[in-house]
Amino acid sequence: MRMVDIILKKRRGQELSSEEIEFFVQGYTQDHIPDYQAAAFLMAAFFQGLSPRETGDLTISMARSGDQADLSGIPGIKVDKHSTGGVGDKVTLILGPLVAAAGVPVAKMSGRGLGHTGGTIDKLESIPGFQVTMDNQSFLHQVKEIKLAVVAQTGHLAPADKKLYALRDVTATVDSIPLIAASVMSKKIAAGADAIVLDVKVGSGAFMKNSAEAFVLARTMVEIGHHLGRQTVALVTDMDQPLGFAIGNALEVKEAIETLRGNGPADLKEICIHLGSEMLNLAGIEKDKFAARRMLEDLLAKGSALKKFQEFVRAQGGNPSVVDNPSLLPHASLIHPVTSLFEGYVKEIQSEQVGVAAMWLGAGRTTKESNIDLSAGLVLRKKIGDYVHKGEVIAELHYNDNKEIAKASDLLSQAYVLQSEPVVAKEILLGKITEDDL
Ligand code: URA
């Protein structure tokens, strides 16, 4: 087999065999196929698309390109959750303890942030002492004992995806539905859960800018999960504004603790309840949607989810006192209020720009190697539907180094889209794709 023939076949829009896909994935992972051929293949796949069978084969080959977690030693149905990436998305910090408190075993591998999106691992690392790596045995033991562990995803899990994602990033081939679907699902399959709940974001801050595309991506991933014997449900959720108010690692942990206390932002709580209900359903704990919702609301109200979060922090070496005293989290030395130049109702808050502003403050990485300031970030004071007066504070910037403060402040002002007529915020849940929809 020759890579040039595979590229040509895809360029002509023909369907590749499973063997050809496996040849490409293994060859590229093992450095037998050079970047320039892989890049040409990705561009051909971008324009010609991949059939459902090809997308499934690409997923399997990438999932098998490295280690595959074996969670069979943990009793119960293990349910994983994945978000296609958003700004202010601290859902795992709330959802993990919430569903674990309901009895769902959560053995989660998460990533770090890059560019305008944050990562759960960075957020957890803002808790003093918190360890994001542990050996496999301790990981499994912790999930058995307290139903929840979150570790940093290693490069040995789906290494083909790691390499291909980096190449897609620099060859303008990220926003292809089959390539995104295979990338996400290969990691989920390799991470070993029995069932998967996906949060597909749509809006200015998401990969999918319109809901038609988001539903196609959702369906593609549910189809892959179904073919590979992992029950999968995808929720399509709104990202026309950041989730919650806080963006930045320690600030987001603080907001997550508030939410676990029952005082968090409504959109954040709502998305956690929706995703959590699906997880309870797939885990076989509560099939009825309304009963699942009641159970989760009850666990929040009784403080059981907050207690589980504290147990989880302690188990991973973090200081559990942050739960009762969030001022123990790192905090920035300077706060700068951003005021509005205009007045009107907030129609949209361009999430990507907000994420980039947070990055300039030090909360995010410009390159994979950059250091981040765990205390930096921003807190929005206005969200969609709110009225803003000229000169009113729309957000606060938290920072230690004022080199890029003007840039961050400008970006944030521009991120707010105002209009004179009142605006009603969309529901956070736009729709759902299950195996029954295939
Ligand atoms: N998230 C992923 O893991 N992969 C993609 O291709 C896009 C988003």
Side-chain angles (χ1 to χ4, degrees), residues 169-192:
D169 214 18
V170 293
T171 55
T173 51
V174 168
D175 51 342
S176 142
I177 287 176
L179 294 180
I180 295 176
S183 164
V184 169
M185 291 304 285
S186 66
K187 286 176 288 218
K188 296 291 108 184
I189 301 292

Side-chain angles (χ1 to χ4, degrees), residues 201-220:
K201 305 257 179 227
V202 55
S204 61
F207 283 110
M208 299 294 114
K209 306 290 181 210
N210 66 63
S211 73
E213 281 180 340
F215 277 98
V216 176
L217 176 61
R219 180 181 291 272
T220 308

Side-chain angles (χ1 to χ4, degrees), residues 154-177:
T154 70
H156 308 298
L157 195 90
D161 175 62
K162 192 166 186 229
K163 234 181 136 188
L164 282 168
Y165 197 16
L167 188 62
R168 285 166 57 209
D169 214 18
V170 293
T171 55
T173 51
V174 168
D175 51 342
S176 142
I177 287 176

Side-chain angles (χ1 to χ4, degrees), residues 56 58 141 146 161 169 183 188 253 300 347 361 378 384 410 414 421:
L58 181 61
H141 179 73
I146 68 163
D161 175 62
D169 214 18
S183 164
K188 296 291 108 184
V253 171
L300 283 172
K347 177 172 178 249
L361 295 169
L378 52 94
I384 292 179
D410 284 352
Q414 289 158 19
E421 299 78 39

Side-chain angles (χ1 to χ4, degrees), residues 17 44 134 138 173 212 224 292 313 366 432:
S17 68
M134 65 174 95
S138 314
T173 51
I224 295 173
V313 169
T366 40
K432 166 170 144 181

Side-chain angles (χ1 to χ4, degrees), residues 159-353:
D161 175 62
K162 192 166 186 229
K163 234 181 136 188
L164 282 168
Y165 197 16
L167 188 62
R168 285 166 57 209
D169 214 18
V170 293
T171 55
T173 51
V174 168
D175 51 342
S176 142
I177 287 176
L179 294 180
I180 295 176
S183 164
V184 169
M185 291 304 285
S186 66
K187 286 176 288 218
K188 296 291 108 184
I189 301 292
D194 306 303
I196 303 158
V197 175
L198 300 161
D199 177 7
V200 180
K201 305 257 179 227
V202 55
S204 61
F207 283 110
M208 299 294 114
K209 306 290 181 210
N210 66 63
S211 73
E213 281 180 340
F215 277 98
V216 176
L217 176 61
R219 180 181 291 272
T220 308
M221 293 195 287
V222 171
E223 213 160 38
I224 295 173
H226 179 66
H227 285 304
L228 300 184
R230 313 284 172 104
Q231 252 207 304
T232 306
V233 171
L235 301 187
V236 176
T237 66
D238 177 58
M239 230 313 123
D240 273 348
Q241 61 180 341
L243 206 45
F245 295 101
I247 295 105
N249 300 290
L251 291 167
E252 291 191 42
V253 171
K254 195 168 162 213
E255 187 168 77
I257 293 171
E258 280 301 299
T259 309
L260 286 164
R261 263 187 209 295
N263 304 328
D267 57 348
L268 182 58
K269 178 183 168 199
E270 193 57 20
I271 199 167
C272 291
I273 299 275
H274 282 302
L275 291 164
S277 303
E278 298 302 333
M279 291 175 84
L280 257 53
N281 180 1
L282 291 180
I285 287 178
E286 182 52 75
K287 293 280 176 200
D288 180 79
K289 199 166 80 181
F290 299 104
R293 187 179 183 99
R294 266 200 311 277
M295 182 189 279
L296 295 172
E297 280 178 343
D298 204 35
L299 289 167
L300 283 172
K302 280 195 321 210
S304 315
L306 184 70
K307 205 161 138 229
K308 182 59 73 179
F309 179 76
Q310 193 165 36
E311 202 179 354
F312 156 64
V313 169
R314 186 183 293 111
Q316 293 198 214
N319 181 356
S321 307
V322 296
V323 172
D324 298 317
N325 187 3
S327 68
L328 294 170
L329 291 164
H331 44 272
S333 53
L334 299 162
I335 297 177
H336 170 82
V338 180
T339 52
S340 181
L341 300 174
F342 307 101
E343 61 184 25
Y345 292 94
V346 181
K347 177 172 178 249
E348 187 186 339
I349 307 171
Q350 301 216 322
S351 311
E352 188 165 340
Q353 290 195 43

Side-chain angles (χ1 to χ4, degrees), residues 344-418:
Y345 292 94
V346 181
K347 177 172 178 249
E348 187 186 339
I349 307 171
Q350 301 216 322
S351 311
E352 188 165 340
Q353 290 195 43
V354 175
V356 174
M359 186 186 78
W360 286 124
L361 295 169
R365 294 183 180 79
T366 40
T367 70
K368 267 194 193 128
E369 287 71 35
S370 17
N371 286 324
I372 53 173
D373 177 350
L374 294 169
S375 68
L378 52 94
V379 179
L380 304 177
R381 291 287 169 228
K382 298 284 179 182
K383 299 258 312 205
I384 292 179
D386 289 343
Y387 190 79
V388 178
H389 296 276
K390 195 171 165 184
E392 198 178 352
V393 175
I394 47 175
E396 284 168 358
L397 309 183
H398 292 234
Y399 63 105
N400 292 303
D401 176 347
N402 66 3
K403 270 206 304 280
E404 307 289 1
I405 187 78
K407 207 176 270 160
S409 181
D410 284 352
L411 261 175
L412 202 71
S413 306
Q414 289 158 19
Y416 274 80
V417 182
L418 306 183

